[in-house]
Every structure is written in C-alpha cells, then in structure tokens.
Amino acid sequence: MIKFHSGENVPLEMHKVRMVQRVYLLPVEERARRIETAGYNTFLLQNKDIFLDMLTDSGVNAMSENQYASMLQADDSYAGSETYYRLESVLNDMFGMEHFLPAHQGRACEHILAKLLVKPESVAVMNYHFTTASAHITAMGGLVEEIIIDEGLHINSDLPFKGNMDIGKLKEAIARLGKDKISFIRMEAGTNLIGGQPVSMENMRQASEVCREAGIPLIFDASLLSDNLYFIKVREPEFKDVDVIDITREIGSLMDVIYFSARKLGAARGGGILTSNHEMFLQIREMIPLYEGFLTYGGMSVREMEAMSIGLRESLDMDIINQTPIFVEVLCNELIKKGIPVVTPPGGLGCHVDARAFCKHLEADQYPAGALASALYLAAGVRGMERGTLSEQRNPDGSEAVANMELVRLAFPKRVFTLSQVKYVADRLTWLYENREMIGGLEFEDEPKVLRFFFGRLKPIGNWPELLMKKFRKDFGDSL
Ligand code: F0G
C-alpha cells in the first residue's frame, strides 16, 4: 500500500489498463422497463442492460497479460496434458498438499464432496453456509449447522476476523452430535454471505486441532482466499512480515481437504479439490471422470487451466490481492460518510449494504435486499446481488427462512472498476438513501424450489418503481 501525503486511503493501482470494454448507461425509463422484464431479479438482467456490473466477481475478474499469454500455450489433449501437470505443480507448491483433482467450478467440488461424505441426517458443521454448498448438502439429505462467532452476525463491529468459527461451539457440536453424525467440518475463507469477512490463521489452527483430535475431516473452501490472505497479512500481526506463500502452505498443513472456485481464486474459470489424505483422494478420484471429465481436465478448458496457474501465482502478490479489499474499503467509507448502513469492518469481495436498515419500512417477506437491488439498478444502471432472505431456501413447512443478514452486495471484480465509477455508485446510492421511503417490497410471481434467487421472477408490491423513476427524472433533469 502506497502512503499518500494527504493521509487519504487511495487504492493506487499497481497495473495499467491496456484493453477496455465500452459500457452504456441506458436512460432511466429504459432501465425501468429492463428490470420489469427481468422479473425484478438482477440475475435476469442482460449484460447490455447494465452500466456497472457489481453482481459478482465470479469469472469476471480482469486477467493479466501473462494469463492471456499462457492461454496460447495450452496443451490440449484429453488425457495427460502438460497444462494439467503445470497446474498441479503450482497448487502443490502453494498448499503443500499431495493430490489435486480438477473440477469445473466450485459447486462441482461441493457436489462431489457432499456425495462422498454426506449421509442422510448427518450434519455438516461450518463457520457459515454458502448457497451452493448448503444446496448440495441438503440435496444428499444432510443438515447444515453454523458456528460462526456471535459477532460475525453483527452488521457493525470492529473485529478484524468476523468469519471465525466459535471454537467453543465447535467442541460443543462435536460433543452433542458425536463424530459419526458429523459429515465434515467446513471452514469458508472470506466468508461470503456475512459480507466477505475473513478467518484468522489462529482460528484455522484451533479448528484444525479440534478436528484432528476428533477424527473429523476439516474442509476448507478457499474460493475467497485471496482477500483472506490480504487480511491475514494486514490484520494478524504475526504475519506482517511472513511471505504469502508461507501463509498458504500453513493453511494447507491444517486442512484435510481444500476446494475452490477458480472463477474467484486464480481469476480464471474452473476449480478443484486438494488433499493429502490418500484414501480420500482415491474415493474422490472415482467421481471425477463420472461427473466432471478425465482426471487431467475435470471439465475445464486447458486455456482456462493455464490462466488459472498464472492467476494462482499472482494471488500470492500483495500488490495484486490488495486491490479488491482497498476498493471495498473506499466505497464503504464513502457510504458511511453519508450515513448509509453497510457491513463493517469492510471485508473482501464487495461492499455490503444493509438493506434491513436501509429499508426499515419493509417486512422481511417483502425482500428488502431484493427490492433495494432493483431500485439501485433503476437509479444507477448498477447491478448488485441480493444476499438476504430471497437467497435462502424456504423451511420444510414452506415458511420463509428469514436470513440473518439482509444485504445487497456490490461486488468488485478484480481490477475492473475505477475510482470515479466507485464515486458514481456512492452518489446514486446516496440519492436512493434520501428517497428510501419510496422503495416498496417485492413478491414472487414464479418461485423455483431450488436456488430460487437465480431465476425466480418477482413483481413490485404497488407501483413504486414507476414513482421512483419519475422522482429520478425530476431530480436529475435530462441526465441518464
Ligand atoms: N464457495 C464460495 C465461498 C463461493 O463464493 C462460491 C461462488 C462457490 C463456493 C461456488 O463456486 O460459482 O464456481 O460454482 N460464489 C459466487 C458469488 C457465485 O457470486 O459469490 P462456483
């Protein structure tokens, strides 16, 4: 991090932009039509509708010139490709784990691990759930139990590692459920659904010790590891002067299995599973050709695998991995200055707006975060992601499972946005905050049974989008 004389915290880019994509901002009337056509679900907007796409960083990070260059050297073959062996050696070096099994993305790893380890009624205990991980566990008849530290669920805190597991709750869960009832313990880096909050090395060490003593596999979801590595370096004093690769190797030594989405970690597209447990390796190996593809590509394109190898190496460089967390912090601080409620401390992945506090007047079953994400698209052409009740699965009795946190995530794909674009987002959100009473709720028109947030269709309760659009026109004149 380069210090500014002014004391200002500026995300100074240690890269230059050599290729760009033109983006368009549609007039507000057109935006109102597009969000209606999309069933008030930002997942159903088309890219051409969007000015700034802050839905996710998944698979949309800016790649480096070295990543693109490596793609030309991909060794394409069904079996035995050099590309695979290059990737395997990068991962082995990075985590010090013996075996690597490729899979086409993060949820493919979750599918395989759930098939292998989850028995009906068994419990997967974890710091916090992620949507796809839970969906695969419950699809196998398993249950999910969360043991995040209490403060992890407080929207505002100054705790540096809000993603930590409560080790007391972990011990209690093992004592209560017994080893045989627990399918595995899962620890997620950069805990996604509570606002990209990191886990400390100290917490990983403690969890590992408890799991090893109890003989229960500890599985680490490393999808959001690059932000988490940054936070270990800057927030955990012991690691201030430790090389990032030594941090990843220590993590590797603590875990029984590591899996990841390379749409995030490695800034390419793909995924994979690592383990040093030979028996588990043999069992997982049987499933890769069945569900993913042969063992040396696992459903991935060799070009993406080459980009991943370089991207993984680059995720050990602090000047590269500091970009997202610093941009998140800048946007959070801009919003805090205006009194807009966001998750603190700023985490990785994106800025998380607290929709429950933003839209106090809306009930949980009116999906405040979904409504706010729609309103933000209408006001700004910015696409965020609902991360609240809408993203939950209903309870078995059909009632709403009200999410612990009702968030709109404004993700920062790595190295994609500029500071002026960040200021634009803050400005439009401020306007929306001043007009927040105008945001109404949403209700389902078409509700899928599984992962409903991806393609469910909703409609507004009342005609609030139209009124909001008119107010925008009045306040912004003929501006887009
Ligand atoms: N684990 C975590 C922590 C994730 O954030 C994701 C994806 C996955 C697993 C699944 O990986 O998409 O490659 O199948 N998160 C994306 C997001 C979708 O937008 O946060 P995948």
Side-chain angles (χ1 to χ4, degrees):
M1 175 83 190
I2 311 284
K3 268 201 183 120
F4 272 53
H5 176 60
S6 65
E8 217 184 325
N9 190 7
V10 178
L12 186 64
E13 290 87 347
M14 299 304 275
H15 58 261
K16 57 183 178 182
V17 178
R18 291 166 56 210
M19 189 156 69
V20 293
Q21 180 180 359
R22 173 83 165 87
V23 285
Y24 297 89
L25 180 55
L26 300 172
V28 68
E29 293 76 11
E30 194 54 41
R31 299 199 293 265
R33 271 193 286 277
R34 303 284 167 109
I35 193 70
E36 185 185 2
T37 308
Y40 294 88
N41 179 349
T42 57
F43 275 100
L44 300 181
L45 288 166
Q46 295 185 15
N47 226 3
K48 63 180 164 51
D49 304 337
I50 295 158
F51 174 44
L52 302 177
D53 192 359
M54 304 184 85
L55 184 76
T56 178
D57 64 338
S58 175
V60 289
N61 297 298
M63 295 205 299
S64 68
E65 58 180 348
N66 289 330
Q67 285 185 286
Y68 280 112
S70 72
M71 292 171 102
L72 295 175
Q73 296 171 349
D75 179 31
D76 219 345
S77 71
Y78 187 88
S81 128
E82 274 305 302
T83 295
Y84 168 80
Y85 292 106
R86 276 196 278 273
L87 176 59
E88 182 190 43
S89 87
V90 169
L91 282 161
N92 289 350
D93 185 40
M94 194 168 158
F95 292 106
M97 291 176 113
E98 215 171 310
H99 306 290
F100 167 59
L101 292 146
H104 79 275
Q105 63 183 86
R107 71 200 69 184
C109 309
E110 288 163 347
H111 169 225
I112 285 170
L113 292 168
K115 263 207 141 55
L116 179 66
L117 298 168
V118 174
K119 308 271 172 302
E121 304 295 316
S122 69
V123 184
V125 178
M126 54 189 73
N127 53 345
Y128 205 69
H129 78 283
F130 183 69
T131 52
T132 51
S134 294
H136 279 296
I137 291 161
T138 52
M140 292 301 301
L143 303 164
V144 169
E145 186 171 319
E146 292 165 337
I147 50 165
I148 189 99
I149 51 168
D150 291 345
E151 212 153 336
L153 298 181
H154 298 174
I155 296 274
N156 299 118
S157 155
D158 50 16
L159 212 66
F161 292 100
K162 273 166 77 181
N164 279 353
M165 262 181 190
D166 184 325
I167 300 298
K169 287 186 202 165
L170 173 63
K171 290 181 183 160
E172 185 280 325
I174 294 173
R176 172 170 39 87
L177 298 164
K179 169 182 180 303
D180 295 337
K181 188 113 202 280
I182 297 178
S183 49
F184 54 82
I185 311 290
R186 172 177 173 276
M187 192 171 229
E188 184 182 310
T191 326
N192 191 327
L193 296 187
I194 59 161
Q197 298 294 320
V199 179
S200 70
M201 181 70 86
E202 187 52 32
N203 195 246
M204 294 182 214
R205 286 176 184 154
Q206 291 169 350
S208 175
E209 196 185 323
V210 173
C211 291
R212 290 209 166 140
E213 201 174 309
I216 303 170
L218 178 59
I219 297 183
F220 188 64
D221 178 347
S223 306
L224 292 170
L225 182 62
S226 64
D227 294 337
N228 206 129
L229 289 172
Y230 167 83
F231 289 121
I232 288 176
K233 276 282 283 186
V234 301
R235 293 185 185 172
E236 205 166 354
E238 180 188 339
F239 295 94
K240 188 168 166 281
D241 299 317
V242 175
D243 280 351
V244 180
I245 194 156
D246 292 322
I247 301 179
T248 55
R249 285 178 185 156
E250 177 163 0
I251 294 174
S253 76
L254 298 173
M255 305 296 160
D256 297 298
V257 175
I258 294 183
Y259 76 88
F260 61 97
S261 166
R263 300 174 65 83
K264 294 179 180 285
L265 182 65
R269 290 152 203 89
I273 304 175
L274 290 143
T275 183
S276 291
N277 180 322
H278 194 67
E279 200 181 313
M280 221 181 241
F281 160 70
L282 295 177
Q283 289 169 318
I284 298 170
R285 191 174 66 173
E286 292 197 352
M287 284 193 258
I288 300 291
L290 191 58
Y291 297 112
E292 297 299 306
F294 187 68
L295 292 171
T296 55
Y297 74 92
M300 288 183 274
S301 106
V302 279
R303 286 181 189 78
E304 294 294 343
M305 288 163 74
E306 289 288 358
M308 213 167 126
S309 293
I310 304 291
L312 286 165
R313 281 254 175 256
E314 290 176 349
S315 63
L316 302 174
D317 178 342
M318 279 296 275
D319 277 339
I320 291 179
I321 60 177
N322 68 10
Q323 282 296 302
T324 301
I326 298 177
F327 266 88
V328 171
E329 191 179 333
V330 167
L331 180 54
C332 285
N333 288 343
E334 286 278 319
L335 298 178
I336 290 166
K337 265 193 263 165
K338 308 286 182 192
I340 299 172
V342 296
V343 172
T344 58
L349 179 56
C351 168
H352 292 75
V353 181
D354 177 10
R356 196 165 280 153
F358 199 110
C359 299
K360 280 201 185 88
H361 54 289
L362 296 182
E363 300 296 327
D365 64 357
Q366 298 179 321
Y367 309 124
L372 179 56
S374 288
L376 178 62
Y377 171 72
L378 202 147
V382 172
R383 168 157 80 163
M385 188 191 283
E386 193 275 357
R387 294 277 78 161
T389 302
L390 200 67
S391 293
E392 297 294 329
Q393 316 191 54
R394 280 185 186 267
N395 294 319
D397 68 0
S399 61
E400 283 290 358
V402 175
N404 290 318
M405 288 192 182
E406 185 73 25
L407 307 175
V408 173
R409 179 177 87 185
L410 301 171
F412 279 95
K414 295 174 184 65
R415 297 179 286 187
V416 168
F417 297 126
T418 63
L419 201 53
S420 43
Q421 290 170 331
V422 170
K423 285 185 183 288
Y424 167 82
V425 175
D427 184 74
R428 289 289 159 99
L429 255 173
T430 305
W431 177 80
L432 209 49
Y433 192 60
E434 285 164 9
N435 292 282
R436 59 191 179 278
E437 295 289 333
M438 295 186 73
I439 302 171
L442 296 174
E443 60 188 345
F444 266 106
E445 212 168 38
D446 172 19
E447 182 176 349
K449 289 204 170 48
V450 179
L451 297 173
R452 60 184 184 169
F453 58 92
F454 276 135
F455 52 99
R457 301 184 62 81
L458 299 106
K459 60 178 186 200
I461 303 170
N463 66 339
W464 64 265
E466 196 189 329
L467 300 175
L468 193 63
M469 177 184 83
K470 289 191 173 141
K471 180 73 166 55
F472 179 97
R473 205 24 96 223
K474 186 163 164 277
D475 291 355
F476 286 89
D478 58 6
S479 167
L480 290 174

